[in-house]
Amino acid sequence: FNENHEAALDAITAALQIGDQVPLLHYQHGWVLVQAERFEDAVKVLQSGLKRFSSDAENVSRTRLLLAGVSAQLSQWTDAIQQYEAIIAAQGTDEETRRRGLLGLSNAYVQNGDMANGEKVLEEVYREDPKDPGVNNDLGYLYADQGKNLEQAEKMIRVALAAQPENPAYLDSLG
């Protein structure tokens, strides 16, 4: 976090020499490369870890989330969508990771110009937790931006604002 990426890479390399069979170390190696903005190297390390430790469901989910994040950061929305879909479909994915996957998937669809699928995914998350301020804001904004379900959109955005009245994104949505 102090941006001393070379020291972090040296440390993770040393750790891997001791514990090459530890999936978390491979993930952390990829994570450090992402922080260093060495995205191509990060993707190679993370994909290698996915193949090598494919039976470790927690590692697979964690690694796919990071790969999807890299794809999103690079505006490679189709790749991000594939990673998020794989997270959601995987057996053994815990509920929080599945939820993060759904939220990421919705965003990737919207960023890729597929508002309908982005909306559909957000509606699923909303049905599961209709009080979540972020989901209320995001779905309300999608509705409002398309000029549909305007009364519902306003109510949803107001739910978000009631939870976080100073949140600039929520204020923008209401505007």
Side-chain angles (χ1 to χ4, degrees):
F1 286 115
N2 70 2
E3 298 188 22
N4 190 351
H5 302 121
E6 291 309 313
L9 286 169
D10 289 344
I12 197 68
T13 300
L16 282 165
Q17 289 174 351
I18 298 167
D20 187 48
Q21 296 301 315
V22 179
L24 182 59
L25 291 177
H26 291 269
Y27 167 82
Q28 289 173 329
H29 185 201
W31 185 87
V32 170
L33 289 166
V34 169
Q35 299 308 306
E37 297 183 1
R38 292 176 47 186
F39 300 119
E40 287 183 29
D41 293 336
V43 168
K44 288 177 188 172
V45 165
L46 293 166
Q47 286 177 337
S48 172
L50 273 179
K51 289 177 188 166
R52 187 166 175 198
F53 303 106
S54 62
S55 63
D56 184 329
E58 184 179 346
N59 178 67
V60 169
S61 294
R62 177 178 45 231
T63 301
R64 287 195 182 283
L65 275 175
L66 186 54
L67 280 167
V70 169
S71 295
Q73 199 163 2
L74 298 173
S75 298
Q76 297 172 344
W77 301 113
T78 302
D79 292 340
I81 289 166
Q82 291 173 347
Q83 292 298 337
Y84 287 127
E85 287 177 338
I87 292 164
I88 295 160
Q91 295 292 325
T93 301
D94 65 86
E95 279 306 306
E96 179 57 28
T97 302
R98 181 182 168 281
R99 180 179 168 77
R100 290 177 61 196
L102 286 167
L103 292 170
L105 179 60
S106 173
N107 180 59
Y109 275 136
V110 169
Q111 295 300 321
N112 201 38
D114 186 349
M115 302 294 262
N117 274 321
E119 186 178 300
K120 179 180 171 186
V121 171
L122 264 183
E123 288 171 338
E124 177 182 342
V125 177
Y126 177 79
R127 281 190 299 276
E128 293 173 3
D129 186 3
K131 294 181 182 180
D132 181 288
V135 174
N136 271 278
N137 178 71
D138 292 352
L139 186 54
Y141 180 84
L142 272 180
Y143 287 158
D145 195 46
Q146 298 174 79
K148 64 189 217 183
N149 304 333
L150 294 177
E151 287 182 28
Q152 181 182 3
E154 182 180 353
K155 287 177 185 174
M156 295 171 89
I157 294 166
R158 288 194 185 279
V159 166
L161 275 168
Q164 297 176 20
E166 301 299 320
N167 186 313
Y170 299 173
L171 290 166
D172 178 66
S173 294
L174 184 61

